[in-house]
Each structure stands twice: as C-alpha cells, then as structure tokens.
Amino acid sequence: LHSTSRRQRQMCIRDRYMRKSIHFIIPGVLILIAAGVIIAILLSKRIPDNDSGVIGNTAGNLNSGGLFCETDGTVFFSNPYDDDHLYSMDSDCDNIKYLSHDRVSYINAAGKFVYYVKGNAESDDMTMMFRGDLFGVVRCRHDGSDSEVLASGYSTDLALSGSSLIYNTSDGTQSTTASIDIRGENMTTVSRHTYSTASVSDGKVYYSNNGDNHSIYELDVDKRSASLFLDGNTAMANLIGDYMYYIDLDNNNSLTRINLTTTEQEILSPAGCSLYNVYNNVVYYYINSDSPALYRANTDGSDKTLIMEKSIASISCTSIYTFFQIADDETLYRIETNGEPNVQVFYIQPQ
C-alpha cells in the first residue's frame, strides 16, 4: 500500500509539473511562430541592393523613351493602345497582363522590381490630381503590386545603375540630374545640368554634351563630376561593350562607332541617322531624309536590310522581337530581332 501511494504521489507531482510546463511552452512556441511570421514579412518587403554592374535597360531602349524593358523572360512595356499604361508579357508576346494605371516611360527592371517614370498629366482622375500624384519615379513588383513613389515631381530619362536610380528632374525653375537609391533614400543632386542617362556602366553615365560642345563625357554619379571621355561633334553617344556608338554630326549625321581599344572608327549608316538601337550583334537605325526609312544591319554595318519606309518615332529591342512605332500613330509594329524582316502589326487589347 505504501508503495502504491508513493507511486500515486509521484504521478501527481509529475502531472502538475507537466501542466505547469505546458503553460510556459505553448506561449513560448506561439511567440516563436509569431516572430517567424514577422521576420518573414519583413524579409519579403526588404529591398536588397543590386550588384554594382546591374543596369535596368539597354541604352537603345532608353533612347527611345524606355517603352519596353526585358528581364528574365518577361517584357514590361507601355501599351500605346491603353493610354500608355504599364503591361507585361512573356518574351514571345504571350501571357499579356495589365499592371498599372500610370502612364509609363523609361521602364527599368532588376531583381523582383520594376522602376519607371509616371507622367499622368492627361489623367482624368481628379483625386490623383489633388494628391499631386501626376509625376514621379515609381517602384513596383513584377505583378504591379507594392507600388511606391520614390521621388515625386516631374521626372524623365530614368536609368538604373546598380542600386542607384539616375534621372532628370525639374522644380519648375531649375532642371537637374539627380539620383536616389532603390529604397527611395539618399536623394542627391548629381549635376545642375541635365544629360541623357541612357548609357550607364559601372556607376558612370556616358553622354554627348549638349552645351558649348558635343564631345562625349563621362559622369561619375558618386563623385558628382564629369570629365571629357572622347573629343568630337556627336549626338546620342552609347557605350556598348568595347565600342562607343554615336551619331557623327561632322559627317552628315552618320551612325559611327569607335573601338576604344584600337581607336579604329567605322561608319555604320548613310547620312541622316537620327535614332538607333544596338542589340547584341545587330543594330536598327532610322534615316531621317526625304525618303525616311528604318534599317537593320550587323553591328559592323554589313548586311543592311530595309525594314520600313516610314518616319519612325521609337525603336525597342528585346531578345525575340523588336518593336517600333511611326510618328503620330499609336500603331505598334514588331519584327523578329534577328529573323526575317517580316513586319507585323502588333495589337494589345486593353485590359
């Protein structure tokens, strides 16, 4: 009997201990679970830095207003058939999706995010007008969610370089080149002048000066200083690989490139070039003359092919298709970037 009573007392003590332990364990587990959920949410919203060499779009696309941008098999674009709202699609033009009501341009993308300039000056949304939400630099996710204005006010010429967004802006009296990081922090005035920011490489912007001379300059964004890179009378300079491409104003506006290693110069187009886009081993260029036309050639100027005899307003290249529009017309055309020169009208149904 004594043995049985002792066992019963031991069992009672153990049960009381376990009940008390459970009272401590369950809250502790719940706290850990809650902490894990909070950490997961915070990590999902964290904006990590990009690698320093990341760029958000090609120089050629940005020179055409950044209307198309491709990353990891997805093309983000401004839909001309739906008031230039932001859309996305697969690189083969399937799976088209509406993403944002903003009128967008200068689209850049890297990692999980898309960056663009919004210009809603023609908006009929009075609420948007009263909030002052007509202009700005915006970041959103690939599906258009988590949209956030990183920099307000009139903006243009946006380019992503590493974790910096470089753009032109104006307060109504002074136009400047500015930068801000991808989290919307550390806004800096890079220059009291505005430059084309299309050509970026390793934290530097390469541009044809539009002031007293038209030589090519290198703008160091971090140091906020510009220096002469290549002497000449140029327009629309783009550093692509080992070559500097530009329109030579001293040679009847011919598209030209110079090998930066050998200094060898090559003329790629006839006179009258006013827009071009280099993509891998091909270059599309527009000749603005009495017989305006769009051409495609190899990057050394060989294998010249007529694409369309029209006045071209934009040329946007992606891995499978190149898109272009003619002046004063919303119609969008496409052609295989490296394929047969068969021009197609490409219509995107507004969603």
Side-chain angles (χ1 to χ4, degrees):
L1 290 175
H2 288 298
S3 176
T4 300
S5 298
R6 190 165 48 251
R7 284 198 300 271
Q8 288 175 339
R9 286 197 299 270
Q10 289 173 346
M11 290 177 64
C12 290
I13 293 170
R14 185 182 63 187
D15 290 343
R16 285 198 299 270
Y17 175 78
M18 291 182 65
R19 284 196 296 269
K20 289 181 179 179
S21 298
I22 289 172
H23 286 310
F24 288 104
I25 291 171
I26 291 177
V29 170
L30 291 176
I31 290 171
L32 289 174
I33 292 172
V37 170
I38 292 170
I39 291 171
I41 292 172
L42 292 175
L43 288 175
S44 70
K45 293 184 177 296
R46 186 174 64 90
I47 313 297
D49 282 338
N50 296 321
D51 291 340
S52 60
V54 165
I55 61 172
N57 203 344
T58 64
N61 286 350
L62 292 175
N63 278 329
S64 281
L67 304 178
F68 284 76
C69 176
E70 183 178 24
T71 182
D72 296 330
T74 300
V75 175
F76 300 94
F77 66 99
S78 171
N79 186 356
Y81 303 107
D82 191 16
D83 293 328
D84 302 318
H85 295 161
L86 180 64
Y87 278 63
S88 71
M89 62 184 172
D90 296 340
S91 294
D92 60 4
C93 296
D94 285 339
N95 195 27
I96 296 173
K97 297 177 182 178
Y98 165 89
L99 301 182
S100 172
H101 190 69
D102 286 333
R103 288 175 175 266
V104 302
S105 60
Y106 298 99
I107 304 169
N108 289 254
K112 299 178 180 179
F113 299 97
V114 180
Y115 308 85
Y116 60 84
V117 166
K118 70 172 179 176
N120 297 326
E122 299 179 23
S123 174
D124 55 2
D125 186 340
M126 294 302 295
T127 303
M128 183 180 291
M129 297 174 103
F130 284 123
R131 287 201 315 257
D133 288 345
L134 298 182
F135 306 103
V137 175
V138 179
R139 183 195 68 228
C140 68
R141 293 187 180 272
H142 283 196
D143 61 0
S145 65
D146 292 339
S147 177
E148 181 178 348
V149 177
L150 304 180
S152 59
Y154 178 79
S155 306
T156 185
D157 290 86
L158 177 70
L160 172 68
S161 175
S163 297
S164 297
L165 294 159
I166 310 159
Y167 60 101
N168 292 332
T169 186
S170 174
D171 61 6
T173 58
Q174 176 71 49
S175 296
T176 58
T177 300
S179 72
I180 194 169
D181 70 30
I182 56 177
R183 288 171 286 276
E185 301 169 351
N186 302 312
M187 181 181 290
T188 303
T189 298
V190 176
S191 173
R192 294 293 178 182
H193 303 279
T194 57
Y195 310 105
S196 169
T197 63
S199 180
V200 294
S201 178
D202 294 328
K204 297 179 177 61
V205 178
Y206 297 86
Y207 62 91
S208 294
N209 191 29
N210 53 9
D212 295 334
N213 65 68
H214 295 91
S215 294
I216 300 171
Y217 282 75
E218 177 187 79
L219 174 66
D220 190 309
V221 176
D222 290 335
K223 295 180 180 178
R224 290 178 284 174
S225 64
S227 57
L228 179 66
F229 185 79
L230 191 65
D231 198 13
N233 192 12
T234 73
M236 207 174 290
N238 290 326
L239 177 64
I240 303 172
D242 295 329
Y243 289 89
M244 181 64 76
Y245 291 78
Y246 57 91
I247 295 171
D248 190 345
L249 303 180
D250 283 338
N251 192 22
N252 298 314
N253 290 21
S254 295
L255 177 60
T256 303
R257 73 173 183 176
I258 184 168
N259 187 312
L260 297 177
T261 302
T262 66
T263 69
E264 179 185 2
Q265 192 177 57
E266 299 172 277
I267 298 173
L268 308 181
S269 82
C273 179
S274 62
L275 184 64
Y276 69 95
N277 195 333
V278 178
Y279 190 85
N280 292 338
N281 62 335
V282 297
V283 55
Y284 285 80
Y285 58 83
Y286 167 59
I287 300 299
N288 186 9
S289 64
D290 293 337
S291 300
L294 174 67
Y295 295 89
R296 181 182 68 197
N298 295 328
T299 48
D300 63 0
S302 64
D303 197 21
K304 173 183 171 183
T305 303
L306 174 66
I307 302 300
M308 176 178 275
E309 294 181 291
K310 292 282 186 180
S311 296
I312 302 299
S314 65
I315 309 168
S316 304
C317 296
T318 67
S319 58
I320 299 179
Y321 290 103
T322 288
F323 304 87
F324 54 92
Q325 290 178 267
I326 61 177
D328 302 319
D329 191 338
E330 71 176 13
T331 304
L332 188 64
Y333 299 88
R334 73 178 184 184
I335 182 176
E336 290 184 11
T337 298
N338 292 284
E340 293 298 318
N342 300 320
V343 176
Q344 303 171 324
V345 172
F346 182 51
Y347 178 71
I348 303 108
Q349 176 69 41
Q351 297 180 14

